[in-house]
Amino acid sequence: MGCAAAAPTLVCVKRVKQDEAEEWDETMPLPGDIIEGFAEKDGDDDDDDDASFVAVKGRSELSSQLGKMVQKVETIWVKVRRGDRTHKLRVRVVADKSYILHKKYTIRAARDDRHIAVLGDLTLEKCTTLQEMSRRIVNVAFRGFNRKEVKYDWKRKVDTYLPDQASTVVASILFMPFQGEYYIEATISRCMAWFSAAVSSGVPLVFVNIQTEQIVISKTNQNGKEISRGGKQQNTSTSVELVQGIRLWFLPGVEQVLLEMIPEPGETRFGLDIKRTDEGFICVGEVTKGSAADRAGLQQLLDEANLTKHLLVISRLEGKSVMPSTVGSAGFIHCCDHDEIKDALASAIEGLDIIQLHIMARPNQTRPETPQAIAPETLRPPKPPL
């Protein structure tokens, strides 16, 4: 079975070494610009196929040509394609300082020494994506009026509008592509299958969004090398691979309800049994009557969940997430250690320590009728403004 042919590439501006994006304009090389040709003079502005422009075939060849031209002229013209239109830009040729051993050349804006283009051989799809990003930055219709910085009292706002800071509004899980898998559709399919299976099992998740995410993977390669004593000397090298994963964003229930389990002297257990679902979530399986878990309202919530065929899922224990975080390239779900949670509960009951946990709330769920069930809005009353 033959390998799929690689997509053709074009010489494109990958990025620019200019952090002040608000200072970009259309006369500068911008990310996504496809460089079609270069010339010492701009020629006839009405003729996009002006013969004075030399066609560009690859980044290395362009770098070589720029190196020859920098000896003769200070500025040159490049013809770039943006969408279905071409533009002629006046630029300067400069040495690419990221290359030390082999000198290479690139271009920068004629009127801004900081605006240096980083060139690369990219697919048309990648160029188009970068062009859209540049258009949104440069286009006045998107940028609107000039921006200014204003102070914001983050602490007071967080204390007022997110009193339970351990209860995140959204959560996510990252799906890695399998080994030898190069099409994002397969990863998306597994992502949505996992989400559907979790919801079908009774976990009250609410879909928010999915997005692609680039992940850098470092691989260590070891090559054995024989030495005179018959042992092996290991030569180790590290390679870096860039893969594309899928991050799924979801709400862990319509909200996360905070409960406190307060043990009483003489109790040796909090009185709840936990189990893990196939998708990696931790849920309450059973509650002992009269226990700290029962007094916290877990039995009432478990009974309601059973009636509606939902699971009573724990999202956080002592403020720490116990939700699955990653699905690796081998297919294993990285989730919270079931035994570690049991050990944490056992350690807390020995010292009669109070344990806080967050429960994923489903739609129309009632709050447990107990003072130990703390409503998020009453956790930390907002301080009066200074």
Side-chain angles (χ1 to χ4, degrees), residues 306-324:
N306 289 335
L307 286 175
T308 58
K309 297 183 178 179
H310 282 84
L311 296 176
L312 188 61
V313 184
I314 302 172
S315 59
R316 291 180 177 271
L317 185 68
E318 287 296 282
K320 300 177 182 178
S321 173
V322 296
M323 294 178 285

Side-chain angles (χ1 to χ4, degrees), residues 283-296:
C283 61
V284 178
E286 189 175 344
V287 177
T288 302
K289 186 176 181 180
S291 63
D294 186 18
R295 293 193 299 272

Side-chain angles (χ1 to χ4, degrees), residues 234-299:
Q234 296 292 329
N235 292 335
T236 304
S237 63
T238 302
S239 61
V240 175
E241 181 182 0
L242 193 65
V243 299
Q244 198 168 44
I246 290 292
R247 184 170 293 278
L248 168 66
W249 293 92
F250 60 88
L251 297 178
V254 293
E255 68 172 311
Q256 296 177 70
V257 179
L258 175 62
L259 304 178
E260 279 191 345
M261 297 189 298
I262 305 176
E264 295 180 349
E267 291 184 329
T268 58
R269 293 181 71 248
F270 280 104
L272 78 161
D273 292 326
I274 59 174
K275 58 184 180 180
R276 186 171 55 225
T277 70
D278 290 344
E279 287 69 44
F281 290 97
I282 303 297
C283 61
V284 178
E286 189 175 344
V287 177
T288 302
K289 186 176 181 180
S291 63
D294 186 18
R295 293 193 299 272
L298 281 172
Q299 184 62 63

Side-chain angles (χ1 to χ4, degrees), residues 170-176 187-199 205-213 245-252 279 281 323-327:
V170 294
S172 70
I173 178 172
L174 178 64
F175 290 79
M176 303 282 284
T187 312
I188 295 175
S189 297
R190 285 196 304 278
C191 165
M192 296 312 299
W194 175 90
F195 179 81
S196 298
V199 173
L205 304 183
V206 180
F207 177 82
V208 175
N209 192 21
I210 60 171
Q211 67 184 62
T212 57
E213 183 167 321
I246 290 292
R247 184 170 293 278
L248 168 66
W249 293 92
F250 60 88
L251 297 178
E279 287 69 44
F281 290 97
M323 294 178 285
S325 60
T326 312
V327 177

Side-chain angles (χ1 to χ4, degrees), residues 12-205:
C12 178
V13 178
K14 291 199 298 185
R15 60 184 179 87
V16 294
K17 298 178 181 179
Q18 160 61 297
D19 295 333
E20 304 296 332
E22 63 270 15
E23 297 183 15
W24 296 3
D25 63 53
E26 293 183 341
T27 67
M28 300 174 172
L30 299 175
D33 281 356
I34 299 170
I35 301 179
E36 296 187 331
F38 61 92
E40 292 185 23
K41 298 180 180 180
D42 63 335
D44 182 2
D45 289 339
D46 295 327
D47 185 2
D48 286 337
D49 296 321
D50 192 343
S52 65
F53 279 84
V54 179
V56 173
K57 296 180 180 178
R59 179 177 60 87
S60 296
E61 181 184 344
L62 175 59
S63 173
S64 177
Q65 294 287 350
L66 293 176
K68 296 176 183 178
M69 298 184 73
V70 75
Q71 308 294 331
K72 301 184 293 182
V73 295
E74 291 187 1
T75 61
I76 66 169
W77 292 83
V78 292
K79 183 165 63 175
V80 301
R81 176 151 53 94
R82 296 173 182 164
D84 57 357
R85 299 183 61 186
T86 58
H87 301 262
K88 294 175 184 177
L89 310 178
R90 183 170 169 264
V91 298
R92 293 183 182 273
V93 179
V94 293
D96 190 339
K97 295 182 179 180
S98 58
Y99 293 90
I100 300 175
L101 297 178
H102 304 286
K103 202 165 188 179
K104 294 184 180 294
Y105 293 87
T106 184
I107 57 176
R108 69 166 173 81
R111 294 180 287 105
D112 190 336
D113 293 346
R114 302 168 300 168
H115 196 95
I116 300 174
V118 178
L119 306 178
D121 295 311
L122 306 180
T123 63
L124 177 60
E125 181 182 4
K126 182 63 176 176
C127 294
T128 303
T129 301
L130 291 173
Q131 285 181 14
E132 178 63 19
M133 180 271 293
S134 297
R135 185 178 71 86
R136 289 180 177 273
I137 292 175
V138 174
N139 195 330
V140 176
F142 280 90
R143 190 167 57 192
F145 295 102
N146 291 333
R147 306 290 173 169
K148 62 177 293 186
E149 294 180 349
V150 295
K151 292 184 66 176
Y152 192 77
D153 190 345
W154 285 103
K155 186 179 186 306
R156 185 170 67 86
K157 295 291 186 178
V158 169
D159 287 345
T160 302
Y161 297 104
L162 191 66
D164 184 5
Q165 296 175 39
S167 174
T168 56
V169 177
V170 294
S172 70
I173 178 172
L174 178 64
F175 290 79
M176 303 282 284
F178 283 176
Q179 292 287 344
E181 198 172 69
Y182 303 102
Y183 298 99
I184 200 68
E185 288 80 6
T187 312
I188 295 175
S189 297
R190 285 196 304 278
C191 165
M192 296 312 299
W194 175 90
F195 179 81
S196 298
V199 173
S200 297
S201 71
V203 182
L205 304 183

